[in-house]
């Protein structure tokens, strides 16, 4: 472990130039005292590292010293697929491997290219989860990821909307969608998708299973996403909405809301416009449309209009009775 840390320290100084002991300690997740000991060990091994005193001081390498001792370990190489989503790498237990791999890659790049890579990282950041939603707890993610990697079957206890089930799965791949982890697995000869946060218990089983030779995770996920999207919407609602609600539709209903705005009819004398909005089942649609308040009116279909009217009447009666 110390050898890995010494190499990381050396690569930090090589890639970033002068760094203070607290900065190095933060990067390496060790104490400042440990940094001083490691710098001393580097110097004793022949690396020309010097300490500059004063407010702008720190440790640096002398004379443009560079090392090519940058070979990636197997785990570090595997972590590079998650280089654009470091938070996901950390959830999978690969955060340290990814940090080490990035340092080694930067060290292997020509000086100008490495500097450009660092500038890009300083100026662009990918934050996958949506706004206003806490990250889901996924206590079994590391175990599931290990089973995917090692091709080990899992016995799981899973919570779904119909109730709880117990199944034996062959885990084939993990997908991070909008900040939510999904497991694509073979179960009872079918390929199915499971939300990892809904696993109540996970037990790895001995031995290895054989992955289907023609399995393509990206293709399976694309097909699954399209199927789920098609199942989600069960009809369309014709609405009359105020200018304020029209602006709100993309934020509340995503791509469906954006399409509704793009295809909206001309505004009337009051500034209200008619839109066609895809809706889910009747109960879900009622809840969604009630959230628009009095600034939206359901025109069709008749059963949805009646259901929203009934819910609004019941809501008004409840507040009147309580007040």
């Amino acid at each position: 472990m110390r050898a890995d840390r010494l190499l990381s320290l050396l690569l930090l100084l090589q890639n970033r130039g002068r760094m203070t002991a607290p900065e190095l300690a933060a990067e390496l997740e060790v104490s400042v005292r440990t940094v001083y000991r490691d710098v001393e060990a580097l110097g004793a091994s022949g690396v020309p590292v010097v300490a500059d005193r004063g407010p702008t001081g720190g440790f640096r390498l002398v004379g443009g010293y560079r090392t090519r001792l940058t070979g990636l370990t197997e785990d570090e190489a595997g972590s590079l697929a998650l280089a654009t989503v470091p938070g996901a790498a950390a959830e999978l237990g690969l955060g340290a491997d990814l940090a080490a791999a990035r340092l080694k890659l930067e060290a292997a790049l020509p000086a100008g290219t490495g500097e450009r890579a660092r500038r890009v990282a300083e100026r662009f950041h990918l934050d996958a989860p949506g706004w206003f939603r806490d990250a889901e707890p996924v206590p079994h993610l590391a175990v599931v990821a290990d089973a995917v990697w090692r091709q080990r079957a899992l016995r799981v206890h899973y919570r779904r909307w119909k109730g709880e089930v117990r199944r034996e799965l062959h885990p084939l791949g993990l997908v991070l969608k909008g900040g939510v982890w999904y497991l694509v697995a073979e179960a009872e000869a079918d390929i199915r998708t499971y939300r990892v946060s809904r696993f109540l218990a996970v037990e790895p089983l001995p031995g290895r299973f054989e992955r289907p030779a023609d399995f393509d995770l990206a293709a399976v996920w694309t097909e699954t996403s399209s199927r789920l999207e098609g199942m989600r919407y069960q009809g369309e609602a014709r609405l009359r909405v105020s200018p304020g609600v029209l602006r709100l539709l993309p934020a509340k209903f995503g791509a469906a809301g954006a399409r509704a705005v793009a295809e909206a009819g001309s505004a009337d004398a009051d500034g209200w416009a008619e839109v066609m909005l895809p809706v889910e089942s009747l109960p879900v649609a009622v809840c969604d449309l009630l959230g628009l308040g009095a600034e939206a009116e359901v025109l069709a279909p008749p059963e949805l209009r009646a259901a929203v009217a009934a819910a609004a009447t019941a809501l008004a009666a409840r507040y009147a009775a309580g007040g």
Side-chain angles (χ1 to χ4, degrees):
M1 288 297 294
R2 192 188 186 202
D4 289 341
R5 192 175 69 241
L6 290 174
L7 177 57
S8 294
L9 191 156
L10 173 57
L11 294 178
L12 281 168
L13 294 176
Q14 176 175 307
N15 295 339
R16 303 186 188 180
R18 183 186 287 109
M19 295 183 68
T20 66
E23 288 172 341
L24 288 167
E27 288 286 346
L28 299 172
E29 298 182 350
V30 296
S31 67
V32 171
R33 180 177 297 180
T34 298
V35 168
Y36 280 108
R37 286 201 300 264
D38 287 350
V39 168
E40 184 178 350
L42 280 180
S45 67
V47 175
V49 56
V50 296
D52 295 325
R53 300 184 181 278
T56 60
F59 297 107
R60 61 182 175 86
L61 298 176
V62 176
Y65 176 88
R66 296 184 67 84
T67 178
R68 292 299 175 187
L69 185 63
T70 55
L72 295 177
T73 68
E74 183 177 338
D75 288 341
E76 290 166 356
S79 73
L80 288 174
L82 297 168
T84 57
V85 278
E91 288 183 320
L92 291 170
L94 297 172
D97 291 324
L98 178 58
R102 290 179 65 176
L103 274 176
K104 291 179 180 180
L105 281 179
E106 287 179 13
L109 293 172
T113 306
E115 177 60 26
R116 180 174 177 82
R118 286 191 293 277
R119 289 174 61 192
V120 170
E122 289 171 354
R123 289 162 172 77
F124 297 94
H125 174 67
L126 174 64
D127 185 11
W131 283 103
F132 313 121
R133 184 177 64 200
D134 292 335
E136 288 188 321
V138 279
H140 303 293
L141 178 60
V143 176
V144 171
D146 185 70
V148 170
W149 184 252
R150 299 179 187 276
Q151 294 179 224
R152 297 187 63 182
L154 293 173
R155 184 177 291 120
V156 302
H157 183 188
Y158 185 73
R159 183 184 71 254
R160 56 181 184 173
W161 67 275
K162 290 183 178 180
E164 298 177 6
V165 296
R166 287 176 170 80
R167 287 217 170 96
E168 184 173 313
L169 308 178
H170 289 176
L172 301 175
L174 281 164
V175 175
L176 180 63
K177 171 71 171 179
V180 179
W181 285 100
Y182 295 90
L183 172 68
V184 179
E186 189 175 39
E188 301 173 355
D190 289 330
I191 302 296
R192 302 179 183 179
T193 302
Y194 299 87
R195 193 161 173 159
V196 178
S197 62
R198 293 180 182 168
F199 285 127
L200 303 177
V202 174
E203 178 190 355
L205 299 178
R208 287 165 55 94
F209 66 88
E210 289 298 320
R211 291 171 61 87
D214 58 349
F215 178 75
D216 183 328
L217 178 60
V220 168
W221 181 255
T222 298
E223 190 276 330
T224 299
S225 300
S226 299
R227 186 177 70 253
L228 292 176
E229 191 71 17
M231 293 169 57
R232 177 182 177 187
Y233 296 118
Q234 301 182 14
E236 278 191 319
R238 183 161 63 93
L239 310 177
R240 180 173 175 266
V241 299
S242 71
V245 167
L246 190 66
R247 291 191 295 269
L248 180 67
L249 291 180
K252 186 170 179 61
F253 296 100
R259 285 194 297 270
V261 171
E263 299 169 3
S266 300
D268 60 20
D270 298 323
W272 288 44
E274 289 191 15
V275 298
M276 298 297 296
L277 183 70
V279 293
E280 300 182 44
S281 63
L282 186 63
V284 174
V286 170
C287 290
D288 286 343
L289 297 177
L290 279 178
L292 299 177
E295 298 295 300
E297 178 186 1
V298 179
L299 302 177
E303 60 272 19
L304 179 57
R305 179 182 174 90
V308 171
T313 300
L315 187 64
R318 176 162 296 170
Y319 276 90

